[in-house]
Amino acid sequence: MSQGRGSASFPPGKAPLLLFYLALLLSAQMDGVRSATYVVGGPGGWTFNVVRWTDGKRFRAGDVLVFNYDSTNHNVVAVDRGSYNGCKTPAGAKLFTSGSDRIRLAKGQNYFICNFSGHCESGMKIAVSAA
Ligand SMILES: *[C@@H]1O[C@H](CO)[C@@H](O)[C@H](O)[C@H]1NC(C)=O
Ligand SMILES: [Cu+2]
């Protein structure tokens, strides 16, 4: 049986298994580099005055935002810049109501508000810039 350089300690039959585990490890690490998951508002979740939660954070396209909230009192609406600034809901805006929504960030600006009456005005809104 030949013992090639670099494979001295691995019987030929085990090489595919080793490569398989190596591939798993690499793909897990690349996933970690590619996208992160953030819980909006931290332990307090998606609620009033969450607007500053993004301060000092850096987001990337593909990162996932998790919005945790009581779905009887709040929701999440993906809006445009003008609607974000004016706390308006544009026609056809995408609405999330599960109480634990996972939303993947698109490259550029992403705007989210709660459109229950008065909530956006009370700081229940976030603007997220994804590189
Ligand atoms: C909130 O957004 C949804 C989805 O666009 C819309 O159907 C609903 O009328 C909005 N509610 C208010 C109070 O603007
Ligand atoms: Cu709300």
Side-chain angles (χ1 to χ4, degrees), residues 1-12:
M1 198 185 287
S2 77
Q3 289 276 41
R5 274 163 306 183
S7 63
S9 57
F10 286 95

Side-chain angles (χ1 to χ4, degrees), residues 73-74 114 116 119 124:
N73 291 317
H74 303 293
C114 171
F116 276 58
H119 291 201
M124 196 161 184

Side-chain angles (χ1 to χ4, degrees), residues 73-87:
N73 291 317
H74 303 293
N75 63 15
V76 182
V77 189
V79 300
D80 57 89
R81 178 187 169 86
S83 303
Y84 174 84
N85 286 331
C87 286

Side-chain angles (χ1 to χ4, degrees), residues 75-79 87-97 113-118:
N75 63 15
V76 182
V77 189
V79 300
C87 286
K88 300 276 188 285
T89 304
K94 186 144 180 50
L95 173 69
F96 300 86
T97 60
I113 66 172
C114 171
N115 83 349
F116 276 58
S117 181

Side-chain angles (χ1 to χ4, degrees), residues 19-122:
L19 284 175
F20 175 72
Y21 283 124
L22 204 62
L24 269 187
L25 190 74
L26 281 176
S27 73
Q29 283 182 339
M30 305 245 303
D31 258 356
V33 168
R34 224 184 287 126
S35 75
T37 298
Y38 297 90
V39 176
V40 177
W46 174 236
T47 187
F48 304 109
N49 301 315
V50 74
V51 63
R52 306 229 70 98
W53 170 77
T54 54
D55 287 1
K57 294 186 177 61
R58 293 167 65 84
F59 300 91
R60 297 170 63 98
D63 286 353
V64 174
L65 298 187
V66 180
F67 292 79
N68 292 324
Y69 56 94
D70 174 356
S71 62
T72 61
N73 291 317
H74 303 293
N75 63 15
V76 182
V77 189
V79 300
D80 57 89
R81 178 187 169 86
S83 303
Y84 174 84
N85 286 331
C87 286
K88 300 276 188 285
T89 304
K94 186 144 180 50
L95 173 69
F96 300 86
T97 60
S98 78
S100 143
D101 305 312
R102 300 175 67 86
I103 303 178
R104 200 169 281 277
L105 293 174
K107 193 177 176 72
Q109 294 293 322
N110 298 251
Y111 300 98
F112 304 99
I113 66 172
C114 171
N115 83 349
F116 276 58
S117 181
H119 291 201
C120 174
E121 291 83 348
S122 298

